[in-house]
Amino acid sequence: MKVITGTFRDKRGSEPIEIQTDGTCLTVVIRGVTFEGSDFDSLGTSEETGQFDLCRGDLYACDFSVSIPVRLETPDGIREVGMSAFVSIGELNAYGWPAPGDLRLHLEQPEFSIPSRGTSGAFEDEMLSIVSKLPQGFQLHACITCGLSDYSPAGSMSFGNMACFRDVPDEYRKVKSKSDIFALWDQLTDYVQETHYCPKFEKRPKGTGYRG
């Protein structure tokens, strides 16, 4: 279990928070109310409360400024570092659903300071934009850069919807197409967050799996 520290804000004010994550689920207590979800966009509660803007029990019209623990390979060894993330969830649109918000990531170390593009709204693209700019000798060890993780061709959420195939590594390494990944889908181990790391991490060769 890891802890993501930061600040929650909405029109009622702001307060420090600690989000517990096991690599699959996020859990946070805000103003005495417990919220759980697989990503920031689906943090929900079953409690009756008037302290938040809720859409079908999920938070909206709010933002999170947090530091997410990640594992970074450096020329001097492995570092456990914090990746800054600003995640906002919009107001309700004309269809009664929260409008897309902003997502911006930033990884800063003594040797570099790299912001993400801030244009995609998805951790996949924002994290990979940082990975592509890392100096020589630095590499992120996380599910997003692991050789045993992939996304469904049917689409995914903004965070925490990566399929992990660590229990069938040999079969997954043979995946090259949409039909290949669908044929293996019922053997996925579980869904994981892009920022997660486990001991079965392996560096992802270019062109691996369905997502390449």
Side-chain angles (χ1 to χ4, degrees):
M1 189 73 69
K2 289 188 175 183
V3 177
I4 300 171
T5 59
T7 302
F8 170 84
R9 296 182 184 84
D10 65 7
K11 62 187 179 186
R12 298 167 182 81
S14 65
E15 62 179 88
I17 56 171
E18 290 187 348
I19 304 174
Q20 304 287 329
T21 175
D22 60 2
T24 298
C25 181
L26 300 172
T27 304
V28 60
V29 178
I30 311 173
R31 299 172 190 150
V33 179
T34 300
F35 291 88
E36 293 184 337
S38 57
D39 70 347
F40 292 92
D41 296 336
S42 64
L43 282 172
T45 182
S46 58
E47 298 183 37
E48 295 292 334
T49 176
Q51 299 184 79
F52 307 92
D53 292 308
L54 299 176
C55 175
R56 298 164 181 82
D58 294 350
L59 288 165
Y60 75 92
C62 60
D63 64 63
F64 298 83
S65 296
V66 296
S67 177
I68 303 177
V70 292
R71 184 179 172 93
L72 184 68
E73 178 184 328
T74 80
D76 301 320
I78 298 295
R79 296 178 194 168
E80 297 289 342
V81 304
M83 183 179 67
S84 299
F86 174 79
V87 184
S88 71
I89 305 170
E91 299 279 355
L92 297 185
N93 59 24
Y95 302 98
W97 293 99
D102 293 331
L103 172 61
R104 300 192 299 273
L105 308 179
H106 196 134
L107 186 59
E108 184 165 358
Q109 291 293 286
E111 299 88 350
F112 59 81
S113 178
I114 306 175
S116 71
R117 293 182 303 171
T119 58
S120 72
F123 269 78
E124 175 190 10
D125 296 326
E126 298 303 309
M127 288 186 70
L128 290 178
S129 74
I130 289 178
V131 168
S132 67
K133 299 175 185 175
L134 286 172
Q136 185 174 1
F138 291 84
Q139 183 169 0
L140 192 65
H141 286 197
C143 290
I144 189 66
T145 57
C146 180
L148 300 176
S149 65
D150 218 321
Y151 288 102
S152 169
S156 62
M157 299 182 296
S158 64
F159 180 67
N161 198 216
M162 295 202 79
C164 173
F165 294 92
R166 63 181 178 273
D167 290 341
V168 286
D170 294 334
E171 293 86 342
Y172 175 71
R173 294 187 192 107
K174 299 174 184 176
V175 170
K176 298 298 179 184
S177 66
K178 182 185 294 188
S179 59
D180 288 345
I181 196 71
F182 276 141
L184 191 63
W185 202 254
D186 62 353
Q187 297 185 58
L188 67 88
T189 303
D190 53 21
Y191 289 98
V192 293
Q193 297 159 1
E194 285 81 351
T195 52
H196 185 55
Y197 167 85
C198 87
K200 291 192 176 181
F201 170 85
E202 60 181 58
K203 296 180 181 180
R204 188 176 188 85
K206 188 174 181 179
T208 297
Y210 166 71
R211 67 184 175 103

